[in-house]
Amino acid sequence: MVRLLRPVFVRSICASRIASLVVVAAVVAAVVAAVIAPNAASAQQPAGPSGRAMNMDDALNIRTPQIQDVSDDGRWIALTIRVRRDALVVDNARYGDPTYVSPALAEFQLLDATTGKAAAILPGKSQVRGTAFSKDDKSLAFFVQGADNATLNVYDVATAKVRAIPLKTGKQVASNSPLVWSPDGKSLLVTLRPDGWAAAARAAFLNLDAGPITVQDSKDPFLSWDRVRNMSDQQIPAIVNLADGSVREVLGVTQLAGGGGRGGGAGVEFTPDGSSIVYSTSVPKTTTYDNAGGSDFALYKLALAAGAKPDTLVKPTERRVAARWNKAMTAYTYDDRGNIMLKTLGQDSALNLTAKYRRPAASPTGATPAATAAARADTANRPTYTMVDWRPDGGALLVSGRDGWYTLDVKSDSLQMVYPFEADTALRPTRAFLAFSEDGRSVYLTRSARDTWARGLEKYDLTTRQATPLAQDANLYSAWRLSKDGKRFTFERSDGEHPPEVYTAGADLKDARALTQVNPQLAGVALARTELIHYMDADGKKLNGVLYYPHNYQAGKKYPLVMEIYENYFDNGYLEQMDLLAAQGYFVLHPSVSFETGYPGEAWEKGALSAINTLIERGIVDEKKLGVFGTSYGGYATNLLITQTNRFAAAVNISGKVDMISFLGDSPKIGTRNYNAAERGQDRIGATLWEAPMKYIAHSAIMYADRIHTPLLMLTGKQDYNVPDTNEREMYYALRRLGREAVWVQYAGAGHGAGRNGSEADFRDHWSRMFSWFNDHFEKKATKGATQ
């Protein structure tokens, strides 16, 4: 493995070493280009659809449909359609205010999947949330968010009428309220805020945000911003009678946890007869610096008879219990450290259904006591199982293991492999369970290849062990829904280059047809053609990248390339930033990289530069006109990469940190995220600052600002709660002190993502500056190269 960075020697990396790495990567790229014929052939492909280049107005007018709910019979689809421009109205300064609900205006429609007709449920645009069809598919409930409160509404499908339900209570509807129909369709379960909650929550936010005096004490079990954020979880479950709007509070202030129920939903639901509710809770106890502990999770059942008290099904514990109920709601399962646990109501304890399948292998004859003890302690190599779903008849479970899916009989606890996975994990397709067939004989699952764009849906017969591909092509699919009788699918689909549309199809998917055409204005716009590329990084690991072609691409011509870096990329799809940059006449690349904990900063030099070399070897990229940018973690990667190489004509860091050490204390509104990210999360340092201080220095671009010779544009939002602008400010002052070319642009009202998360004026300024930055420096680099 090529090693580029070590905490105590980063400054010893010299230009000759970097140059030698580039040569090695170029040789690897040449080998890959020779081996992977489709990549070489694609350089000769036509430009794709003709039309004018995309512009900022086009980007702002993009409409995105989203399926909110589908009736059980698959006929009715509740749909929202949002316009990109409408997202530029968020008050970023109020992030962390429990009383603030970010605007999300949308058209709200009902689609008839049988006729393809659409009808507006509400006129114009509204802020709709919590949509839910009744059990009989005749009504659709939803909230409409107002300035200070949400209103409950019910739409009658037959009459196409909306009825507002005035709640007979002085309490506000919680902004994170679930919306759950009773089985008889006569009532809805919602959650309310306690009396005085809004004033108390707003005051707590203002005290921390504006003072005038704030005090934080390490003896407090919570960081102050955590305490304010936890106020959002204060909810009072209540049942609304739809006939008269009367409200019955069934519990006091409760902190509901998501992830429970038969479908892993809002954490509360009615039993089939409507006589009780089951709910899960998550009660914070302390601020933690890892992903474990800090909250108590519990599970309860409450009879809705007057005066009833909750029955505790799972006592409060730091181990999350995500209960998966059978259809009758007489039993539930949950995962417990690799085991599948089954609890039947009325029984005192849960049964471990997989314990006997996870016992250590018997020690060989003559093994020493130490070897025997070691074998028993080796839990990492034992089989582990996670719950997938109940079979419809309730007699068995579908569970997932490392090597495949199994059926697990709930009475005999017999375990049987029914869907073996491929042995090669690198090429194993990604799969996700969708649903059982109504008879329980088959399962439907989404499936995507790892080395080509072959994506779609599969039906698998659990008895014959035969797979039937229903869709397996280059399209992008999402939001799959299957009707209760298994006869109709609804889903969102894109060709991988345009925004998605909503589709419906029969059980075999052969008659798929579009129900929407939400962006007719794009008919004359040529969006970027995309290609999946393959290459090897400096360690010889095969990686994938997604290449977006420039507008009016002509084979045989070399083009500038702008690369957006982050982590790993595989899927294509319409992406605002990629299409806007491709419209400037650039290739735009999403390269994947391979990380090693402790040395993440090597990833982009090893992988991203190799991806560029592959394209240069194909003769399609002008190596004098290379640009790089990234947002958030990608901005951090960009700034780190240009301390390691001078290959780029220009770079842009958007909302990306530059100092790993000072960043630990930044972002107070999101608690301990920054510590966690470095120690065990995305930043991948793998140790605390005090355990490995030199690694933090090695991965802080600010420490090596003197190596930066690439012109750098920095874009930040003053209201960025995630990566405060002060972190990136350090780099501007350092580069100015060093006499290097740097421009820092601050958007006063914008948040994370700079101008793309501000006002429309910010958006336009953000992109205009990026276009000019790359264009100007590409020309300078080309002119300088021509005169040398």
Side-chain angles (χ1 to χ4, degrees), residues 398 405 433 435-437 441-445 458-460 462:
L398 184 67
W405 286 342
F433 173 83
F436 269 100
S437 60
R441 179 186 175 92
S442 302
V443 293
Y444 295 93
L445 60 138
E458 177 182 295
K459 182 178 182 180
Y460 187 83
L462 298 173

Side-chain angles (χ1 to χ4, degrees), residues 752-775:
H752 196 56
R756 295 180 66 193
N757 188 15
S759 65
E760 182 173 335
D762 294 340
F763 178 94
R764 292 180 181 277
D765 184 87
H766 176 118
W767 281 116
S768 294
R769 288 183 186 276
M770 281 190 64
F771 299 156
S772 296
W773 189 255
F774 285 125
N775 284 331

Side-chain angles (χ1 to χ4, degrees), residues 624-741:
K624 294 184 178 66
K625 298 181 179 181
L626 302 177
V628 61
F629 79 102
T631 301
S632 192
Y633 189 60
Y636 158 74
T638 296
N639 234 132
L640 200 59
L641 180 60
I642 60 174
T643 70
Q644 302 164 340
T645 179
N646 297 326
R647 293 185 67 182
F648 296 101
V652 183
N653 177 353
I654 306 167
S655 302
K657 61 182 175 285
V658 301
D659 186 339
M660 290 288 290
I661 298 172
S662 64
F663 188 61
L664 293 173
D666 283 343
S667 320
K669 290 184 177 181
I670 51 178
T672 63
R673 191 284 308 269
N674 294 355
Y675 274 96
N676 184 269
E679 294 168 10
R680 58 182 55 81
Q682 184 181 47
D683 292 336
R684 300 175 176 89
I685 301 299
T688 69
L689 172 63
W690 304 276
E691 292 168 334
M694 297 306 295
K695 286 188 177 181
Y696 282 77
I697 292 174
H699 291 86
S700 295
I702 189 67
M703 300 298 182
Y704 308 102
D706 60 321
R707 295 185 179 186
I708 296 176
H709 297 279
T710 305
L712 178 63
L713 173 64
M714 291 169 282
L715 304 176
T716 60
K718 183 66 175 175
Q719 307 303 329
D720 191 340
Y721 66 90
N722 193 327
V723 182
D725 61 294
T726 52
N727 200 277
E728 202 162 335
R729 182 180 66 189
E730 294 180 32
M731 182 59 70
Y732 171 73
Y733 277 97
L735 293 178
R736 183 180 176 87
R737 171 65 181 84
L738 291 164
R740 307 296 159 77
E741 184 177 358

Side-chain angles (χ1 to χ4, degrees), residues 457-470:
L457 191 72
E458 177 182 295
K459 182 178 182 180
Y460 187 83
D461 191 304
L462 298 173
T463 303
T464 65
R465 314 286 174 86
Q466 294 296 312
T468 303
L470 301 181

Side-chain angles (χ1 to χ4, degrees), residues 248-322:
R248 176 191 168 200
E249 297 178 11
V250 295
L251 289 168
V253 177
T254 306
Q255 290 166 303
L256 295 176
R262 280 167 284 170
V268 58
E269 62 184 310
F270 287 92
T271 55
D273 62 3
S275 65
S276 304
I277 59 171
V278 294
Y279 61 97
S280 55
T281 61
S282 173
V283 181
K285 298 187 304 179
T286 184
T287 292
T288 62
Y289 289 83
D290 55 35
N291 291 325
S295 295
D296 275 341
F297 301 93
L299 182 67
Y300 301 93
K301 182 178 181 180
L302 173 69
L304 296 177
K309 301 293 184 181
D311 291 328
T312 302
L313 303 181
V314 176
K315 295 179 180 179
T317 173
E318 286 194 347
R319 193 176 309 123
R320 181 184 290 271
V321 177

